[in-house]
C-alpha cells in the first residue's frame, strides 16, 4: 500500500473513532419516566418562561408558596404550610414550613420570596408574567416604573452596576422623594427611547438631584447623574418579611384566585446567592443552579433532553416516587408518537391531529387516550379599527355566518367543543355568556343593514394565521362559510410565527387566529385581555363601559356579585364581537397505562411529583390508571 | 502556494464581512423581533428589552457594536434560548451534526463510489441500469420521504432500529442513511461520468497496453482523474452536511445545528441566526479551499498560484 492509502485509511479510522467517542458521551442510563416535552425550553428561570414546555420543567424544579394539586390543580400547601387571610380578603400571611430547603441544603425563607418577587416585578427582568403579581399593592406601579411615577412618590434610584458585578446584581440604591420628572413632548413620541431621555428630579436627604436612566454609551443631559433605573420605592409595594418564616402580602383588591397565583410557576422563588454568584444565564446551568422543588436539574442538553433527579432535600420527598425523569425535546409530533409506539417514552403531550382522529374511532377504546376539556379557547381576532370591521353589525354578521360545528367536525377531530363565548364552558362557578349561534339568514340581514346586501360592495377580507396545517384548514373553512353564507370573498395569508405576532400587535391584519390558555382558573384571565389598550387585546377594541366592568369586578369583594359583573362584561364583549370564538380545546395526552398519578384536569397540568410507575400493570389484576377515569 | 493561501485567507475575511453585512440588514428588515410573544410585554418594558439588546439604537450603531463583538469572538447571548449564549449553542450542536455528517458521508462516499465505478466498468449492463435508476430515484426523492419510508420499514415492520433520539450508534444508523442517500446518489452519478471519461483517455489505453489488470487500471489510473469532479462536489456538500440537516434532524430528533438554523430564523433569534450563518460561511469557504488544495494533489496538471 502506498503512503496515500495509509493516510486515507488513517483518516477514516480516526473519523469513526471520533464519532463513536462523541456518541458514547451522549449515552445516559435509562430514566424511570420519559416524556416528549415538545420544543426546547426557552429557559428554566421561573421569571422568564411563558410556554407550557417550560412550565412543566419549572414546576418540577421549583415550588412556590402553594403548589398545584395533581388531580384538579387547585392550590395546596407548598413552601407555605399554612396561611391566614384577613377578613376583607386583602392581607395574606404565609407561614413557611421549617423543612423547606434549597437543593444546597439551606432553608427557604421569607427573604427568598421577597427577593424573587421583587426580581419578577423589576422591569429589567423582562418577565412577561410580572402581571401575575400585580394584584399586590403598588406592584404594577413598580414594574411600569418611570412613566407611572408622579411627583411626591417615594422612589428608589438604582445607580449603575459597580465594576465586576454580575448582571443579576443591582446597582447601589438611593431612596428619596420624586420632585418632578421631565420629558419634552418631542421626546415622548419615540416610545423606544423615551425612558432613557426622561429626567427625574429626586429629593434625597433634603437635596435635589437629577437622574437620567440612560444606558452607558448614551450622553447625559447637563446636570444629570446616570442611573440604571428609577422606580417606585419597593418599600411601598405590599410585600413584607415579618420574620424568616413569615411573609405578608397586601393586595389592592380581594382577589379570589390569589392562592392559585401563589402556586403559579412564575412566582416560584429563586436563590439570590446562586443568581448573584454566577450571573445570568450561567446560574441556570446544571452545575450551578440551586432549586427548591421536588426534582433537581442534572443534565441539560440543548434540543436533546433535560434530566431531572429526585431531590433529597425536598420536604415532601417521601411522596415523590420517580427517581429519574427525562424530558425530551421533540419538535415533531409524529416523531414523539413514533417514540411512544416503540416504547421509548411514556407520555406524548400532543399527537398529530390526523392520528387523533384514528385514535378516536378505534374499537375497543384505547386504554391510553382520553381527551378532556381544557381551559383554552380558539378564536379569531377582528381588527375593529379598520373598515368594514369597525361596524359592529359586520362583526356580528361574520360570527352568525360561522358554522362552528362544521369546523370541529372537519378540521379538528378530538371532540373539541364548538365555542360561542370567550370564556371556556368548562370554567367552574361561571355561566358563559354566549353570542348568537350559527344563523345565515340573520347574518345576511345584518350585513344588508350595514350596507352590503348580498355581500355587494363588501371589501375583500384577509384571514391571517401562523403557518400550520390545522390553522390553515380552519381558515379555509371560515373563508368558504363566509362566501357561502354572506357572499363575501376572503383570502388567506399565512405568516410564520415572528411576523404573525408582530402583525397582531401592530394591527396589521383584518382577521387573525388566536388561542388563549387560561393563566389561572378564573374568567378574569380571559376577560381582562380586552380592556382598552391591553397588551394582549390586539383588536383595537376600546369600550369605556367594558373597562369599567372589568375594573369594578376587580374591586368587588362579594364573590357572587363579582362573577355577575364579569358575566355582564362577557355579554358586552359577545355583543360587540371584536372576536369570533370557534372552539374550546380538549387535551390530547397519550399516557401509557403503567403511569399512575396522572389526572385529566382543566389546565392540562400534570405535576411530576405525583406521578409513579405501576409495576403490576401487565398483570391481570391491574387497575386502569387515574388518567382513564371518565371525564365529567 | 503560500501566496495562494494568503490570498484565500484575505478572501475569507472579505466574504465573512460581506455575509455578515447582508445578513445583518436582512434580519433587521423583517418584521418582529426577539421580543415578539403571545404574552406581550407592556410598552415600557418592551423599550427596556430593546435597550438591552440595543434594538432601539440607530442601525449603524447596532451594526458596529455587533461587528465589534464578533471580531472579539463573542457571538453574544441567544435571544430565545435564554439560558445559553450562541457559542454554547454551537459547541453543543456542531459535534452532533458533525457525527451524523461523518457517518452519512462515509456511507455516501463508499456506496456512491462503488456504485459509480461498477456502473462505469459495466456500462450498459443490467447492473449499470439498476444502479443508475436507483441513483436517479435517490436524487429525486426528498429526504423526508426516504426518512418516512425507512422508519416504516426498519422501525415498525422490521424493528431493528430505534425510532429517534441521540445517544447510541444504532440511533444514528437510520438518520445517517437517510441523510447520506441523496449524496450517495449524486456521487454515484458523478463518479460514473468521470470514470467513463477517464477510461476513454490515452493514458488509460497505455496502462491497458502495458498488460495491467482491469482492476489496477480502473483503481490506480482512471479513478484519481475520475475523482476530481467528485471532490469538487464534496466540498460544499461537507459544509452543508456538517452544519446539519433540517429535515433529518427534526424527524429523528437529533440535537444538531440544522433545526436551530430554522428555529432561530422563525423565532427572530437574531444572535443565533447570525452565528450559524457565519459558521456556515466559514465551513463552506474552508471546504472549498481544501478542495482546491486537493486538486493539486490529485491532478499533477494543476498548480496552485
Amino acid at each position: 500500500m502506498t503512503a496515500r492509502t495509509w493516510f486515507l485509511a488513517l483518516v477514516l479510522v480516526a473519523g469513526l473513532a471520533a464519532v463513536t467517542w462523541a456518541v458514547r458521551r451522549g449515552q445516559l442510563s435509562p430514566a424511570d419516566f420519559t416524556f416528549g416535552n415538545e420544543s426546547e425550553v426557552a429557559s428554566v428561570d421561573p421569571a422568564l418562561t411563558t410556554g407550557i414546555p417550560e412550565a412543566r420543567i419549572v414546576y418540577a424544579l421549583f415550588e412556590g408558596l402553594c403548589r398545584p394539586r395533581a388531580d384538579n390543580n387547585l392550590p395546596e400547601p407548598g413552601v407555605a404550610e399554612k396561611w391566614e387571610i384577613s377578613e376583607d380578603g386583602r392581607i395574606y400571611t404565609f407561614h413557611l414550613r421549617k423543612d423547606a430547603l434549597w437543593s444546597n441544603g439551606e432553608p427557604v425563607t421569607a427573604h427568598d420570596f421577597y427577593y424573587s418577587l421583587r426580581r419578577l416585578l423589576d422591569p429589567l427582568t423582562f418577565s412577561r408574567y410580572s402581571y401575575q403579581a400585580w394584584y399586590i399593592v403598588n406592584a404594577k406601579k413598580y414594574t411600569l416604573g418611570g412613566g407611572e411615577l408622579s411627583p411626591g412618590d417615594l422612589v428608589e434610584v438604582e445607580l449603575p452596576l459597580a465594576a465586576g458585578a454580575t448582571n443579576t446584581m443591582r446597582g447601589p440604591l438611593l431612596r428619596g422623594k420624586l420632585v418632578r420628572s421631565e420629558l419634552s413632548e418631542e421626546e415622548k413620541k419615540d416610545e423606544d427611547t423615551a425612558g432613557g431621555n426622561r429626567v427625574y428630579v429626586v429629593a434625597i436627604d433634603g437635596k435635589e438631584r437629577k437622574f437620567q436612566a440612560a444606558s452607558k454609551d448614551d450622553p447625559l443631559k447637563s446636570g444629570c447623574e446616570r442611573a440604571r433605573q428609577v422606580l417606585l420605592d419597593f418599600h411601598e409595594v405590599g410585600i413584607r418579611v415579618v420574620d424568616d418564616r413569615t411573609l405578608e402580602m397586601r393586595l389592592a383588591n380581594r382577589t379570589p384566585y390569589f392562592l392559585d397565583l401563589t402556586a403559579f410557576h412564575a412566582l416560584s422563588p429563586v436563590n439570590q446567592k446562586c443568581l448573584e454568584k454566577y450571573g445570568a444565564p450561567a446560574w441556570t446551568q446544571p452545575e450551578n443552579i440551586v432549586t427548591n422543588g421536588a426534582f433537581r436539574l442534572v443534565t441539560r442538553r440543548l434540543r436533546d433532553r433535560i434530566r431531572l433527579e429526585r431531590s433529597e432535600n425536598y420536604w415532601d420527598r417521601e411522596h415523590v416516587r420517580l427517581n429519574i425523569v427525562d424530558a425530551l425535546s421533540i419538535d415533531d409530533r409524529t416523531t414523539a408518537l413514533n417514540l411512544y409506539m416503540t416504547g421509548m417514552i411514556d407520555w406524548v403531550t400532543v399527537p398529530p391531529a390526523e392520528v387523533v382522529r384514528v385514535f378516536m374511532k378505534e374499537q375497543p377504546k384505547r386504554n391510553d387516550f382520553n381527551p378532556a376539556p381544557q381551559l383554552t379557547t380558539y378564536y379569531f381576532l377582528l381588527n375593529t379599527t379598520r373598515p368594514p370591521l369597525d361596524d359592529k353589525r359586520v362583526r356580528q354578521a361574520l360570527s352568525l355566518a360561522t358554522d362552528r360545528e362544521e369546523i370541529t367536525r372537519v378540521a379538528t377531530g378530538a371532540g373539541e367543543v364548538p365555542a360561542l363565548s370567550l370564556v371556556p364552558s368548562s370554567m367552574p362557578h361561571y355561566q358563559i355568556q354566549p353570542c348568537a349561534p350559527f344563523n345565515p339568514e340573520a347574518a345576511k340581514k345584518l350585513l344588508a343593514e350595514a350596507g352590503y346586501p348580498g355581500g355587494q360592495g363588501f371589501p375583500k377580507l384577509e384571514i391571517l394565521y401562523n403557518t400550520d396545517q390545522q390553522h390553515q384548514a380552519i381558515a379555509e373553512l371560515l373563508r368558504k362559510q363566509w362566501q357561502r353564507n354572506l357572499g363575501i370573498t376572503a383570502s388567506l395569508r399565512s405568516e410564520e410565527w415572528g411576523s404573525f405576532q408582530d402583525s397582531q400587535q401592530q394591527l396589521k391584519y383584518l382577521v387573525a387566529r388566536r388561542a388563549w390558555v387560561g393563566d389561572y382558573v378564573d374568567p378574569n384571565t380571559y376577560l381582562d385581555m380586552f380592556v382598552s389598550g391591553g397588551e394582549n387585546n390586539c383588536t383595537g377594541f376600546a369600550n369605556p363601559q367594558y373597562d369599567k366592568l372589568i375594573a369594578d369586578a376587580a374591586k368587588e369583594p362579594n364573590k357572587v356579585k363579582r362573577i355577575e359583573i364579569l358575566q355582564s362584561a362577557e355579554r358586552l364583549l359577545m355583543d360587540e364581537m371584536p372576536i369570533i370564538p370557534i372552539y374550546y380545546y380538549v387535551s390530547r395526552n397519550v399516557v401509557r397505562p403503567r403511569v399512575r398519578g396522572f389526572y385529566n384536569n382543566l389546565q392540562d397540568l400534570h405535576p411530576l411529583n405525583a406521578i409513579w410507575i405501576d409495576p403490576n400493570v401487565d398483570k391481570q389484576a391491574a387497575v386502569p390508571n387515574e388518567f382513564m377515569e371518565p371525564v365529567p | 502556494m503560500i501566496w495562494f493561501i494568503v490570498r484565500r485567507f484575505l478572501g475569507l475575511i472579505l466574504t465573512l464581512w460581506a455575509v455578515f453585512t447582508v445578513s445583518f440588514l436582512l434580519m433587521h428588515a423583517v418584521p418582529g423581533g426577539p421580543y415578539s410573544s403571545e404574552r406581550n410585554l407592556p410598552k415600557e418594558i418592551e423599550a427596556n428589552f430593546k435597550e438591552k439588546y440595543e434594538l432601539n439604537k440607530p442601525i449603524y450603531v447596532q451594526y458596529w457594536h455587533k461587528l465589534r463583538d464578533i471580531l472579539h469572538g463573542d457571538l453574544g447571548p441567544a435571544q430565545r434560548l435564554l439560558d445559553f449564549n450562541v457559542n454554547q449553542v454551537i459547541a453543543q450542536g456542531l459535534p452532533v451534526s458533525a457525527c451524523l455528517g461523518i457517518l452519512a458521508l462515509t456511507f455516501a462516499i463508499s456506496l456512491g463510489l462503488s456504485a459509480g465505478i461498477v456502473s462505469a466498468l459495466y456500462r450498459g449492463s443490467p447492473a449499470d441500469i439498476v444502479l443508475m435508476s436507483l441513483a436517479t430515484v435517490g436524487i429525486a426523492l426528498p429526504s423526508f420521504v426516504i426518512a418516512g419510508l425507512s422508519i416504516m420499514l426498519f422501525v415498525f415492520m422490521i424493528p431493528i432500529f430505534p425510532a429517534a433520539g441521540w445517544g447510541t450508534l444504532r440511533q444514528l444508523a437510520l438518520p445517517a442513511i437517510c441523510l447520506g442517500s441523496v449524496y450517495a446518489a449524486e456521487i454515484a452519478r458523478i463518479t460514473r461520468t468521470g470514470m467513463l471519461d477517464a477510461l476513454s483517455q490515452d493514458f488509460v489505453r497505455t496502462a491497458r497496453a502495458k498488460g495491467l489488470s482491469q482492476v489496477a487500471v480502473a483503481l490506480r489510473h482512471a479513478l484519481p482523474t475520475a475523482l476530481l469532479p467528485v471532490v469538487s462536489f464534496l466540498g460544499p456538500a461537507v459544509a452543508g452536511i456538517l452544519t446539519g440537516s433540517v429535515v433529518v434532524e427534526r424527524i429523528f430528533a437529533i440535537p444538531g445545528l440544522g433545526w436551530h438554523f430554522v428555529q432561530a430564523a422563525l423565532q427572530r433569534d437574531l444572535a443565533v441566526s447570525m452565528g450559524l450563518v457565519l459558521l456556515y460561511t466559514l465551513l463552506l469557504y474552508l471546504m472549498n479551499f481544501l478542495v482546491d488544495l486537493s486538486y493539486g494533489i490529485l491532478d499533477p496538471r494543476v498548480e496552485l498560484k
Side-chain angles (χ1 to χ4, degrees):
Chain A
M1 285 220 273
T2 62
R4 204 157 67 191
T5 346
W6 274 112
F7 176 71
L8 274 178
L10 201 70
V11 168
L12 197 70
V13 171
L16 291 180
V19 170
T20 318
W21 173 78
V23 173
R24 275 282 158 77
R25 260 185 25 165
Q27 249 164 6
L28 290 171
S29 53
D32 299 332
F33 178 73
T34 309
F35 67 99
N37 195 27
E38 302 165 47
S39 296
E40 173 62 33
V41 303
S43 177
V44 296
D45 182 342
L48 297 188
T49 56
T50 51
I52 292 159
E54 286 82 0
R56 293 190 190 110
I57 303 298
V58 172
Y59 273 121
L61 291 177
F62 297 94
E63 183 177 270
L65 291 166
C66 290
R67 65 176 191 189
R69 268 170 59 155
D71 51 355
N72 57 11
N73 296 164
L74 290 177
E76 66 177 358
V79 172
E81 58 183 345
K82 57 182 197 289
W83 51 81
E84 289 115 36
I85 305 172
S86 69
E87 198 81 344
D88 62 356
R90 289 178 47 201
I91 301 174
Y92 284 68
T93 313
F94 293 94
H95 301 280
L96 276 53
R97 60 180 83 238
K98 219 191 304 183
D99 52 352
L101 299 177
W102 289 104
S103 53
N104 64 6
E106 286 168 18
V108 182
T109 67
H111 299 281
D112 290 318
F113 280 94
Y114 184 87
Y115 168 78
S116 310
L117 284 169
R118 198 213 61 78
R119 173 173 178 266
L120 176 74
L121 291 170
D122 190 328
L124 287 182
T125 307
F126 311 119
S127 177
R128 293 177 193 278
Y129 267 137
S130 47
Y131 66 78
Q132 293 283 58
W134 283 357
Y135 302 93
I136 300 169
V137 167
N138 277 335
K140 183 174 185 181
K141 199 167 173 185
Y142 184 78
T143 304
L144 295 183
E148 295 284 306
L149 295 173
S150 40
D153 281 340
L154 294 176
V155 293
E156 57 184 37
V157 180
E158 184 184 346
L159 298 177
L161 288 178
T166 57
N167 58 359
T168 36
M169 289 185 177
R170 297 192 80 196
L173 290 182
L174 298 173
R175 295 184 199 276
K177 190 181 254 180
L178 186 71
V179 179
R180 62 180 184 280
S181 68
E182 299 162 357
L183 187 68
S184 70
E185 285 305 314
E186 192 56 36
E187 288 166 336
K188 227 178 240 170
K189 278 182 197 148
D190 187 354
E191 279 173 344
D192 284 351
T193 54
N197 284 327
R198 193 187 289 273
V199 174
Y200 302 89
V201 184
V202 183
I204 297 170
D205 301 329
K207 210 176 117 202
E208 279 191 13
R209 289 164 71 174
K210 283 182 165 181
F211 295 94
Q212 198 185 337
S215 61
K216 72 174 184 293
D217 306 318
D218 291 345
L220 289 175
K221 294 178 187 168
S222 70
C224 284
E225 295 173 65
R226 197 180 295 278
R228 208 163 167 232
Q229 55 182 351
V230 179
L231 301 175
L232 183 74
D233 190 344
F234 194 69
H235 294 147
E236 300 289 294
V237 179
I239 305 173
R240 194 165 68 91
V241 175
V242 180
D243 61 49
D244 277 1
R245 286 178 46 213
T246 316
L247 184 74
E248 184 193 276
M249 294 198 213
R250 270 179 304 122
L251 309 188
N253 299 300
R254 179 195 285 270
T255 310
Y257 45 89
F258 187 68
L259 276 181
D260 296 67
L261 296 179
T262 62
F264 189 70
H265 58 89
L267 271 66
S268 304
V270 289
N271 189 288
Q272 180 173 8
K273 270 192 227 156
C274 169
L275 258 82
E276 296 193 340
K277 181 169 170 199
Y278 299 105
W283 77 272
T284 58
Q285 298 302 308
E287 61 273 22
N288 304 336
I289 194 169
V290 175
T291 55
N292 77 325
F295 294 88
R296 51 189 198 86
L297 182 63
V298 195
T299 314
R300 173 125 192 239
R301 289 207 308 239
L302 263 176
R303 291 210 17 250
D304 178 25
R305 73 186 64 210
I306 287 179
R307 171 157 285 200
L308 305 168
E309 208 173 270
R310 195 170 82 116
S311 167
E312 286 313 312
N313 286 328
Y314 183 53
W315 62 270
D316 195 20
R317 57 189 167 275
E318 273 115 64
H319 294 107
V320 181
R321 293 166 72 175
L322 294 173
N323 276 318
I324 298 176
V325 177
D326 272 353
L328 303 190
S329 127
I330 312 169
D331 274 289
D332 197 276
R333 290 173 178 182
T334 311
T335 305
L337 194 70
N338 285 347
L339 283 171
Y340 178 83
M341 287 165 67
T342 51
M344 312 271 284
I345 60 177
D346 301 300
W347 169 26
V348 178
T349 51
V350 195
E354 23 326 346
V355 176
V356 167
R357 258 173 253 143
V358 178
F359 277 12
M360 295 291 285
K361 284 190 208 125
E362 260 179 56
Q363 284 302 337
K365 281 186 76 170
R366 291 187 72 94
N367 62 352
D368 58 356
F369 184 64
N370 188 18
Q374 193 190 331
L375 272 191
T376 305
T377 310
Y378 191 107
Y379 53 94
F380 279 90
L381 298 169
L382 302 177
N383 185 347
T384 61
T385 61
R386 277 210 233 164
L389 298 178
D390 54 349
D391 187 332
K392 175 169 130 181
R393 290 167 299 187
V394 173
R395 300 197 295 264
Q396 287 173 335
L398 290 177
S399 171
L400 285 167
T402 305
D403 183 357
R404 295 156 176 95
E405 247 102 88
E406 189 190 23
I407 293 178
T408 52
R409 198 177 58 239
V410 178
T412 61
E416 283 82 356
V417 187
L420 291 172
S421 65
L422 172 65
V423 181
S425 54
S426 52
M427 179 70 73
H429 318 300
Y430 180 82
Q431 189 60 50
I432 57 159
Q433 303 297 313
C435 60
F438 177 54
N439 185 344
E441 290 315 310
K444 274 189 202 111
K445 217 174 122 214
L446 265 173
L447 198 68
E449 272 174 36
Y452 308 100
Q456 270 177 358
F458 196 80
K460 194 174 177 181
L461 286 181
E462 190 181 56
I463 306 173
L464 174 70
Y465 58 93
N466 54 320
T467 316
D468 177 280
Q469 250 179 343
Q470 190 162 334
H471 300 329
Q472 185 181 351
I474 292 172
E476 186 64 42
L477 274 172
L478 204 60
R479 186 183 71 78
K480 281 189 195 143
Q481 293 176 355
W482 289 350
Q483 165 99 56
R484 190 169 61 216
N485 300 329
L486 294 173
I488 62 174
T489 52
S491 57
L492 304 189
R493 177 159 62 111
S494 137
E495 282 183 349
E496 44 67 39
W497 200 82
S499 314
F500 175 71
Q501 298 299 336
D502 213 45
S503 303
Q504 284 190 6
Q505 228 185 330
Q506 298 178 12
L507 296 179
K508 286 190 288 198
Y509 73 92
L510 275 171
V511 182
R513 80 145 280 268
R514 191 165 240 248
W516 190 259
V517 186
D519 286 329
Y520 43 88
V521 186
D522 190 275
N524 191 59
T525 182
Y526 290 91
L527 295 171
D528 77 349
M529 260 191 294
F530 290 96
V531 296
S532 313
E535 287 87 34
N536 297 308
N537 179 325
C538 298
T539 58
F541 173 71
N543 184 317
Q545 200 190 341
Y546 187 81
D547 297 349
K548 187 173 178 305
L549 284 171
I550 297 296
D552 286 350
K555 285 189 208 114
E556 177 56 55
N558 184 302
K559 274 185 197 169
V560 182
K561 274 196 194 138
R562 179 176 158 274
I563 291 294
E564 277 168 11
I565 301 175
L566 287 175
Q567 284 173 350
S568 39
E570 188 176 32
R571 214 156 37 235
L572 177 65
L573 194 72
M574 287 298 103
D575 178 56
E576 288 286 335
M577 306 241 56
I579 59 160
I580 301 179
I582 302 293
Y583 65 84
Y584 313 121
Y585 277 57
V586 289
S587 62
R588 294 186 279 176
N589 298 294
V590 184
V591 183
R592 212 173 281 295
R594 69 185 187 120
V595 175
R596 306 296 302 271
F598 188 108
Y599 303 82
N600 263 323
N601 51 46
L602 283 179
Q603 287 179 289
D604 199 16
L605 185 69
H606 313 281
L608 293 170
N609 56 313
I611 292 178
W612 54 287
I613 303 294
D614 189 350
N616 299 320
V617 74
D618 296 325
K619 297 187 186 137
Q620 286 293 320
V623 222
N625 61 0
E626 297 84 350
F627 172 63
M628 290 308 295
E629 280 166 15
V631 177
Chain B
M1 181 80 170
I2 300 278
W3 178 230
F4 169 78
I5 294 175
V6 169
R7 219 177 48 202
R8 276 312 186 84
F9 182 73
L10 290 176
L12 171 66
I13 303 291
L14 204 68
T15 311
L16 279 175
W17 173 75
V19 168
F20 168 78
T21 308
V22 172
S23 319
F24 182 88
L25 293 175
L26 283 177
M27 282 175 199
H28 284 79
V30 292
Y35 44 83
S36 304
S37 160
E38 283 178 312
R39 296 281 189 273
N40 291 325
L41 284 172
K43 280 275 173 287
E44 294 82 352
I45 303 182
E46 189 173 304
N48 269 337
F49 187 89
K50 287 182 178 165
E51 168 95 38
K52 178 176 172 190
Y53 291 109
E54 300 197 322
L55 295 169
N56 58 350
K57 294 260 164 65
I59 191 148
Y60 60 88
V61 176
Q62 290 186 45
Y63 177 81
W64 167 239
H65 284 180
K66 187 81 197 165
L67 188 62
R68 191 184 56 191
D69 288 347
I70 287 177
L71 288 177
H72 285 99
D74 176 15
L75 293 169
Q79 292 159 337
R80 288 289 186 183
L81 299 166
L82 298 171
D83 297 347
F84 295 89
N85 59 44
V86 183
N87 295 24
Q88 285 171 308
V89 172
I90 293 177
Q92 285 205 19
L94 188 58
V96 174
S97 283
C99 277
L100 180 63
I102 290 174
L103 283 182
L105 272 177
T106 316
F107 167 76
I109 294 175
S110 40
L111 189 71
L113 279 186
S114 338
I117 294 170
V118 169
S119 279
L121 290 181
Y122 303 99
R123 181 185 183 185
S125 71
D128 178 26
I129 295 168
V130 170
L131 284 173
M132 283 307 112
S133 316
L134 277 178
T136 312
V137 172
I139 293 172
L141 279 186
S143 48
F144 66 87
V145 174
I146 299 182
L149 289 176
S150 58
I151 287 177
M152 267 157 60
L153 256 175
F154 298 116
V155 176
F156 288 103
M157 290 162 90
I158 318 166
I160 44 175
F161 290 118
W166 163 253
T168 60
L169 280 177
R170 259 183 60 205
Q171 280 171 318
L172 278 188
L174 273 189
I177 292 171
C178 293
L179 183 58
S181 57
V182 180
Y183 294 92
E186 287 275 7
I187 292 172
R189 284 168 58 105
I190 299 171
T191 312
R192 181 177 180 271
T193 319
M195 279 297 277
L196 286 177
D197 192 36
L199 284 173
S200 66
Q201 285 189 22
D202 289 347
F203 69 91
V204 171
R205 198 173 312 130
T206 314
R208 281 216 184 99
K210 283 196 294 185
L212 289 178
S213 70
Q214 173 82 321
V215 176
V217 171
L219 293 186
R220 194 163 307 156
H221 294 268
L223 188 60
T225 322
L227 273 183
L228 287 177
V230 178
V231 169
S232 3
F233 166 75
L234 277 180
V238 168
I241 226 167
L242 287 185
T243 41
S245 147
V246 178
V247 177
V248 170
E249 284 185 9
R250 184 180 157 106
I251 294 181
F252 290 99
I254 305 274
L257 285 179
W259 189 238
H260 279 307
F261 224 137
V262 176
Q263 283 292 89
L266 291 184
Q267 301 189 332
R268 302 286 182 272
D269 192 327
L270 307 180
V272 172
S273 293
M274 182 61 86
L276 292 179
V277 167
L278 291 180
L279 176 74
Y280 183 69
T281 313
L282 183 73
L283 279 174
L284 191 63
Y285 201 91
L286 280 180
M287 286 304 149
N288 277 329
F289 172 69
L290 288 180
V291 166
D292 288 349
L293 279 186
S294 69
Y295 262 49
I297 298 166
L298 284 172
D299 189 344
R301 287 169 300 182
V302 174
E303 202 182 327
L304 300 173
K305 282 191 187 139

